[in-house]
Amino acid sequence: MGSIRLDRYLADVHIGSRKQIKEYIREGRVRIGEAVVTRGEEHLDPEQDTVFFDDKKLEYSKQRYIMLNKPAGVVSATKDGLSKTVIGLLKNVPVRGLSPAGRLDKDTEGLLLLTDDGPLIHQLIAPSKKVDKRYEVHLKSALSDEALRRLEEGVEIGDETKTLPARARRLPEDEKGCPVIELIIHEGRFHQIKRMLHAVGNEVVYLKRLSMGPLELDPTLPPGTFRYLSATEITALKDGGGR
Ligand code: URA
């Protein structure tokens, strides 16, 4: 791919703002191979050279992988005439080409991955790839053992086929006294969890996605905030997000 400047490389791998990157380089925290480099103008070839930041090897990618803790009230779309979109929450991010990996309903909160890596999106959302999507589901009424078993086996929700087998377990009640379950599904049908609970005679009062494959929602991200994925998270998603 040819050579690029070190400061450009570090910006592409999102280790910090331009100002922070300048400081990191000045402080001698960046190496190309064995050599500490203190000038951002230095050139390197991302395909040939290995770059370290604080002795940690960096993985070069121009693609963007962003974890958003989606708040209620915004839609999981890139454009919407009426409502605020998740893309609108990504302050100071070049958003061209970014799409959410699957949609969360307007009132659902939690983990949403936004990326311009189309094949990864496909790998994460295709039901055939069986990637776990784990949700915290707060309910209107207690769930019987029979209802739990039916959710796990697959239920009729008005589509051509039943839902795929899922996993469900009870969690402690929430602060309002509502029953809570954890539900792991592999598909992403429209309003799927709400329709599954409706099919077993219950109702969802609050829904939050906690993880998608190996990617866990960062508990330090308040709703409405986001961060870039680490190189380790990206590798784990590519390796483990879909079989
Ligand atoms: N199931 C739903 O019903 N809504 C979501 O947002 C996600 C899964």
Side-chain angles (χ1 to χ4, degrees):
M1 73 173 287
S3 78
I4 59 169
R5 283 170 58 134
L6 176 62
D7 48 12
R8 169 82 258 160
Y9 177 103
L10 296 173
D12 285 347
V13 299
H14 310 296
I15 66 162
S17 64
R18 293 214 165 263
K19 194 164 153 237
Q20 284 169 326
I21 287 172
K22 245 191 182 149
E23 276 167 27
Y24 296 154
I25 297 174
R26 216 191 36 236
E27 289 164 357
R29 294 167 68 178
V30 180
R31 277 192 285 128
I32 303 178
E34 289 306 307
V36 171
V37 179
T38 51
R39 290 175 59 251
E41 300 84 1
E42 198 78 37
H43 276 72
L44 71 129
D45 180 344
E47 281 171 6
Q48 304 287 329
D49 295 307
T50 310
V51 181
F52 297 86
F53 173 56
D54 283 349
D55 293 325
K56 237 179 57 212
K57 185 172 170 226
L58 301 176
E59 299 292 335
Y60 185 71
S61 167
K62 278 198 81 139
Q63 284 178 308
R64 283 153 295 155
Y65 301 87
I66 293 171
M67 173 191 299
L68 170 73
N69 185 354
K70 179 191 170 300
V74 295
V75 295
S76 303
T78 47
K79 277 197 202 114
D80 189 281
L82 297 173
S83 306
K84 266 172 69 172
T85 70
V86 288
I87 294 286
L89 295 172
L90 304 180
K91 298 281 173 287
N92 299 320
V93 171
V95 295
R96 203 153 57 89
L98 285 183
S99 300
R103 288 173 176 234
L104 293 176
D105 295 338
K106 191 170 175 182
D107 57 355
T108 301
E109 297 192 350
L111 176 64
L112 191 68
L113 171 71
L114 293 121
T115 179
D116 52 357
D117 183 341
L120 180 68
I121 293 183
H122 173 74
Q123 192 180 314
L124 291 172
I125 67 177
S128 61
K129 308 280 184 185
K130 292 213 167 28
V131 174
D132 288 351
K133 281 108 190 168
R134 189 163 59 89
Y135 290 85
E136 181 183 303
V137 191
H138 296 228
L139 299 169
K140 189 160 182 190
S141 50
L143 200 67
S144 65
D145 289 344
E146 164 67 6
L148 204 77
R149 189 188 55 74
R150 286 183 57 209
L151 291 178
E152 290 203 315
E153 277 181 9
V155 279
E156 200 61 70
I157 58 172
D159 293 343
E160 275 175 15
T161 54
K162 279 185 172 184
T163 56
L164 288 176
R167 277 179 300 178
R169 69 182 177 104
R170 293 191 182 86
L171 296 177
E173 282 182 351
D174 67 15
E175 65 284 355
K176 292 185 192 142
C178 292
V180 182
I181 61 166
E182 179 187 84
L183 185 61
I184 301 174
I185 60 173
H186 310 298
E187 305 161 281
R189 302 192 201 176
F190 184 63
H191 295 333
Q192 178 162 345
I193 292 183
K194 291 173 186 158
R195 290 197 288 151
M196 286 171 76
L197 270 302
H198 185 72
V200 299
N202 213 311
E203 200 183 307
V204 174
V205 294
Y206 170 80
L207 186 59
K208 178 178 181 178
R209 182 153 65 195
L210 303 172
S211 65
M212 208 175 183
L215 187 65
E216 300 273 340
L217 177 64
D218 182 338
T220 67
L221 277 184
T225 63
F226 67 92
R227 68 161 170 79
Y228 285 96
L229 297 198
S230 67
T232 317
E233 286 170 328
I234 297 169
T235 310
L237 265 183
K238 289 183 177 173
D239 292 350
R243 279 144 275 154

